[in-house]
Each structure stands twice: as structure tokens, then as C-alpha cells.
């Protein structure tokens, strides 16, 4: 590579990394402030109120417990806080029997790891318990006695829990972003299926199937963010008012999960139908229109479930419900001009997908299914 070209590539790489770093830093200001307040507050409390000299473990325990996650979960904070505190306590206890030194450190670390695995299966818990007990044995004992550090660790863990409860980020943010991305994928899958129908392109239908299968990671991430959000809403006084909204969103996510699973089945069957040239022109047109209309309704549903404003959410939910109901009422092979078995099978597979989406708008299964014409 010529020197000038290499220099240009290096500059481009540095600019890209700088932009990424600045963006990451700008979105972490609130979290960094929380961690700073938590660590300094725990240190100051242990020093000024409890009279401990240099309570380093109060600050480190609080920072490790709080962690650098966007929405700390109470289980995670408790797991790390207890791991830190128990590790320091075990280290202090064994220190009184064995003293300090390398072989003592090895014994303490070995016992701490086995105890951690006995108490909990979490890797974070094991790591923190072992690390803290090891540091206790290796570092000089404080002036107030060995168990002063155990008290400092408890103070740090309590401060982390208080910050988690009182100063979390809006728990709705991440789930709403995730559900918008997931419904965007579902809309894309349906549009790709409609295009495959109209172009009689089995490869395009297969791509839709692969895309639907690849949604599982997004579903798993959305499920995790929903659990974390509901947890924050339960423990945080500032966000308890959002518990009902998050509960409604979680119910919608369960229906969306089923809709995506049904989209996989539909795409797979569509691939076979196209390969066997099993659909008439009238069937292709009517079925393609229904799939396209369903995709349009999914876009409206995405705007509804990701909206922050309650009035906007209700308006879009109502529109999505009406649009999906209009699709559902036509999903009968005779109405759509479909007479061959393969086309009828596709209609039968599209029906439960539309019902799932109707349920995501807030309808019960019975009310959603009532929109379908009887076969």
C-alpha cells in the first residue's frame, strides 16, 4: 500500500473511532454521573459518618455493584453487592486464622471460589466473591480492625441499591426501541414475501424465511429488556406509574413472538408453493395484497408500541387494529379467488399470523379470531 494511501486510511479509521467514542461517551453521561455519586457518596459516608480511615472498599463495592449497564437490574446489583460483601467478610474471617502471605491468599481464594459456586451459579457472583476475598488477604489490615472492610462493603452495596431504585433511566426506552426494530424486521419479512409472490421468486421467499429465523436474537434481547424494565418500574418510585404500560407492552411482545414464528412457517410454505407453480394469477394478486396490507399495519403497530405519548399510542393502536381487521375479514380462499390446495394452505397460515397481530393491539384471542370469516 502506498504511504499516502495508508496515511489516508489511518486518518479515516481514527475519525470513525473518534466519532464512535464521542457518541458512546455522550450517551453515558447520566450513567457515569450515577456511578460517581454512588462511589463518592459511599466513601464519604463510611469516612465521615462511620469514622473509617480510607474506606476504599466502600467505593469499589458500590461501583462494581452498580456496574456500567444502561438499566441495572435489582438481581444483578444484589448478586454483585452480596458477592463483594461476602468475599470481603470471608477474607477478613480467614485472615484472623491464617494471617497474610501467598499461601494464605491461595487458600482463601480456593475456599472462596468453592463457596461461591455452592451458594450461587452466577459467574459474576463467583468472580466478585473470590476477587474481594483475595484483595483482603493481600492488602494491609485497616486501623479499625479487619472487619472494618466488611462494613465498608455493606455500605457500598446499600448505596448501589439506593441509586438503582431512585435514579434509574426511564425503563421504557430500551424495550420500545427493541420492539420498533423487531416489528421493522417483521414488516420487511412480509414485504419480501409479498414481492416473492408477485415475482414468483422462490429465492426471495427463502430469503424472507432466513430473515424470520434470524429474528430470534432480537426476540431474546427484547424479552430481556422487558424483564429489566418491569423490574425497574417495580422498585423505582419515579417509574411505578409505568407498570401498566410495560405490562401491556409485554403482552404485545408475546403476541409478536407468535406472529414471527408464524411468518417463518408462512415463508417456508410460500417457497414450496412458488417452486411448484401452484398459484393462479388471481391468487397471487389477492394474497400478495393481503400480505402487503399486513406489513403496512405492522408499521402502524410499530409506531403505536414505540410511542411515548399516550394519545399517539392509542390513535396508532386503533388504526393498526382497524387495518388488521380489514385484512382478517377477507382471509377466506373463496373470497380471495383461491381454489387450489397450495393457495388455500397459504391463506390458512396467514390467518393465525394476523390474529396474533390483532392480539398485539390489545384484543383478546376470541375477539381477534372473530374477525376471521368462518371456513
Amino acid at each position: 500500500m502506498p504511504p499516502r494511501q495508508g496515511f489516508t486510511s489511518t486518518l479515516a479509521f481514527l475519525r470513525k473511532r473518534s466519532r464512535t467514542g464521542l457518541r458512546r461517551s455522550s450517551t453515558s453521561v447520566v450513567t457515569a454521573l450515577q456511578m460517581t455519586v454512588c462511589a463518592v457518596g459511599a466513601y464519604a459516608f463510611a469516612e465521615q459518618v462511620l469514622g473509617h480511615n480510607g474506606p476504599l472498599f466502600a467505593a469499589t463495592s458500590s461501583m462494581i455493584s452498580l456496574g456500567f449497564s444502561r438499566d441495572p437490574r435489582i438481581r444483578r446489583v444484589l448478586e454483585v453487592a452480596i458477592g463483594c460483601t461476602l468475599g470481603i467478610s470471608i477474607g477478613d474471617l480467614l485472615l484472623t486464622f491464617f494471617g497474610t502471605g501467598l499461601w494464605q491468599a491461595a487458600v482463601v481464594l480456593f475456599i472462596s471460589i468453592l463457596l461461591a459456586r455452592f451458594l450461587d451459579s452466577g459467574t459474576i457472583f463467583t468472580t466478585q466473591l473470590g476477587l474481594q476475598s483475595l484483595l483482603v488477604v493481600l492488602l494491609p489490615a485497616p486501623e479499625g480492625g479487619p472487619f472494618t472492610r466488611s462494613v465498608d462493603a455493606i455500605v457500598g452495596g446499600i448505596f448501589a441499591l439506593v441509586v438503582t431504585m431512585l435514579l434509574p433511566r426511564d425503563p421504557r426506552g430500551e424495550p420500545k426501541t427493541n420492539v420498533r426494530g423487531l416489528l421493522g424486521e417483521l414488516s420487511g419479512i412480509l414485504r419480501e414475501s409479498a414481492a416473492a409472490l408477485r415475482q414468483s421468486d422462490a429465492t426471495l421467499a427463502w430469503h424472507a424465511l432466513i430473515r424470520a429465523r434470524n429474528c430470534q436474537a432480537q426476540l431474546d434481547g427484547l424479552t430481556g429488556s422487558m424483564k429489566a424494565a418491569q423490574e425497574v418500574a417495580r422498585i423505582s418510585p419515579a417509574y411505578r406509574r409505568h407498570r401498566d404500560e410495560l405490562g401491556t407492552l409485554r403482552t404485545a411482545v408475546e403476541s409478536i413472538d407468535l406472529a414471527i414464528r408464524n411468518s417463518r412457517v408462512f415463508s417456508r410454505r410460500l417457497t414450496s408453493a412458488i417452486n411448484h407453480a401452484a398459484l393462479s394469477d388471481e391468487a397471487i394478486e389477492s394474497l400478495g395484497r393481503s400480505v402487503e396490507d399486513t406489513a403496512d399495519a405492522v408499521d402502524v403497530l410499530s409506531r403505536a408500541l414505540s410511542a411515548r405519548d399516550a394519545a399517539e399510542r392509542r390513535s396508532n393502536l386503533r388504526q393498526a387494529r382497524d387495518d388488521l381487521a380489514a385484512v382478517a375479514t377477507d382471509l377466506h380462499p373463496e373470497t380471495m379467488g383461491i381454489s387450489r390446495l397450495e393457495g388455500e394452505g397459504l391463506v390458512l397460515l396467514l390467518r393465525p399470523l394476523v390474529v396474533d397481530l390483532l392480539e398485539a393491539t390489545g384484543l383478546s384471542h376470541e375477539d381477534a379470531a372473530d374477525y376471521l370469516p368462518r371456513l
Side-chain angles (χ1 to χ4, degrees):
M1 180 183 294
R4 183 176 179 80
Q5 185 178 354
F7 180 72
T8 303
S9 300
T10 302
L11 283 179
F13 172 77
L14 291 175
R15 280 196 297 268
K16 181 179 179 181
R17 289 301 300 266
S18 297
R19 286 195 298 269
T20 302
L22 286 172
R23 184 166 57 250
R24 191 164 53 236
S25 296
S26 64
T27 58
S28 303
V29 171
V30 175
T31 307
L33 181 61
Q34 290 177 355
M35 292 180 69
T36 301
V37 170
C38 185
V40 175
Y43 186 96
F45 182 87
E47 184 181 54
Q48 302 297 327
V49 178
L50 301 181
H52 294 177
N53 183 29
L56 180 63
F57 280 96
T60 57
S61 175
S62 65
M63 283 193 65
I64 295 171
S65 299
L66 189 59
F68 208 89
S69 58
R70 295 176 61 184
D71 293 298
R73 296 183 61 183
I74 191 68
R75 172 179 167 80
R76 178 190 171 280
V77 174
L78 277 173
E79 184 178 272
V80 178
I82 293 173
C84 285
T85 304
L86 193 57
I88 293 170
S89 301
I90 291 172
D92 282 333
L93 183 63
L94 296 177
L95 184 64
T96 60
F97 290 103
F98 300 131
T100 60
L102 289 179
W103 74 266
Q104 291 93 334
V107 171
V108 169
L109 182 58
F110 180 73
I111 294 175
S112 299
I113 291 174
L114 290 182
L115 179 61
R117 297 304 295 171
F118 173 77
L119 294 174
D120 193 276
S121 61
T123 55
I124 295 177
F125 181 84
T126 302
T127 302
Q128 293 305 326
L129 195 153
L131 177 62
Q132 299 301 325
S133 61
L134 180 62
L135 288 175
V136 167
V137 175
L138 294 178
L139 293 176
E143 295 179 1
F147 289 98
T148 302
R149 294 177 292 202
S150 300
V151 176
D152 291 341
I154 294 172
V155 169
I158 291 174
F159 266 74
L161 286 173
V162 170
V163 168
T164 301
M165 289 191 296
L166 299 182
L167 300 174
R169 297 182 63 176
D170 189 339
R172 299 172 297 169
E174 188 173 354
K176 285 179 179 290
T177 299
N178 290 347
V179 80
R180 184 168 61 246
L182 185 60
L183 286 174
E185 277 299 293
L186 178 57
S187 174
I189 292 163
L190 293 171
R191 294 188 193 284
E192 207 162 7
S193 297
L197 261 170
R198 292 188 170 123
Q199 299 172 27
S200 295
D201 189 339
T203 301
L204 199 57
W206 181 257
H207 288 167
L209 172 59
I210 298 301
R211 192 172 178 178
R213 287 173 175 171
N214 289 338
C215 285
Q216 190 58 50
Q218 285 180 278
L219 276 168
D220 294 341
L222 177 55
T223 301
S225 66
M226 279 302 316
K227 289 180 180 178
Q230 289 187 298
E231 197 170 83
V232 170
R234 280 197 302 270
I235 66 174
S236 173
Y239 294 117
R240 283 180 184 168
R241 65 185 186 278
H242 298 314
R243 283 182 296 180
D244 290 341
E245 181 184 348
L246 287 170
T248 301
L249 182 59
R250 182 167 188 173
T251 301
V253 168
E254 293 172 356
S255 298
I256 293 168
D257 184 0
L258 295 175
I260 290 176
R261 294 175 190 274
N262 280 321
S263 74
R264 297 172 193 164
V265 181
F266 180 84
S267 300
R268 184 163 56 250
R269 186 62 177 267
L270 176 61
T271 304
S272 174
I274 293 173
N275 278 329
H276 292 88
L279 301 173
S280 66
D281 291 342
E282 184 180 4
I284 289 172
E285 179 57 32
S286 59
L287 193 55
R289 184 170 57 250
S290 293
V291 175
E292 192 76 40
D293 289 345
T294 304
D296 291 339
V298 169
D299 290 336
V300 179
L301 179 62
S302 175
R303 293 197 296 272
L305 296 180
S306 61
R308 295 296 185 95
D309 181 70
E312 180 185 357
R313 183 168 59 254
R314 286 193 297 268
S315 175
N316 282 316
L317 275 177
R318 187 163 50 250
Q319 182 184 343
R321 188 179 301 126
D322 292 343
D323 293 347
L324 288 166
V327 174
T329 53
D330 287 335
L331 289 180
H332 193 288
E334 291 182 1
T335 305
M336 302 175 74
I338 297 173
S339 57
R340 297 183 63 176
L341 181 61
E342 290 82 355
E344 291 177 351
L346 287 172
V347 175
L348 293 178
L349 291 174
L350 187 58
R351 285 164 63 101
L353 191 156
V354 174
V355 169
D356 292 333
L357 293 172
L358 280 167
E359 289 183 55
T361 68
L363 292 180
S364 66
H365 177 75
E366 291 74 17
D367 290 339
D370 282 343
Y371 283 106
L372 295 173
R374 296 189 180 278
L375 296 173

